[in-house]
Amino acid sequence: MRILYLLFAVVLLLFQAAPGSADLTFADTAECRSQGNFCRAGACPPTFAASGSCHGGLLKCCSK
């Protein structure tokens, strides 16, 4: 029964994302965030406008 606890811990460590792996990997995402904007999958909120793209064109860059 003790092996199950160890196996569970190992599985959790294997599927854990590496620190910083979800950070800025695309140039357009870095540019969007450096201007103080944010990326969004759907339409931008009502008070924001789409000013470009993020994640290689998959997301929209929303700015005030």
Side-chain angles (χ1 to χ4, degrees):
M1 209 50 164
R2 289 184 203 171
I3 192 75
L4 289 177
Y5 294 115
L6 180 61
L7 184 63
F8 183 68
V10 170
V11 168
L12 283 178
L13 288 174
L14 287 175
F15 289 110
Q16 182 180 356
S21 65
D23 285 345
L24 310 171
T25 55
F26 294 98
D28 55 352
T29 303
E31 183 180 347
C32 177
R33 292 197 179 164
S34 70
Q35 296 172 357
N37 304 331
F38 63 94
C39 299
R40 187 159 179 169
C44 294
T47 58
F48 293 87
S51 63
S53 64
C54 295
H55 294 283
L58 296 175
L59 303 177
K60 294 178 183 174
C61 179
C62 300
S63 63
K64 268 275 193 205

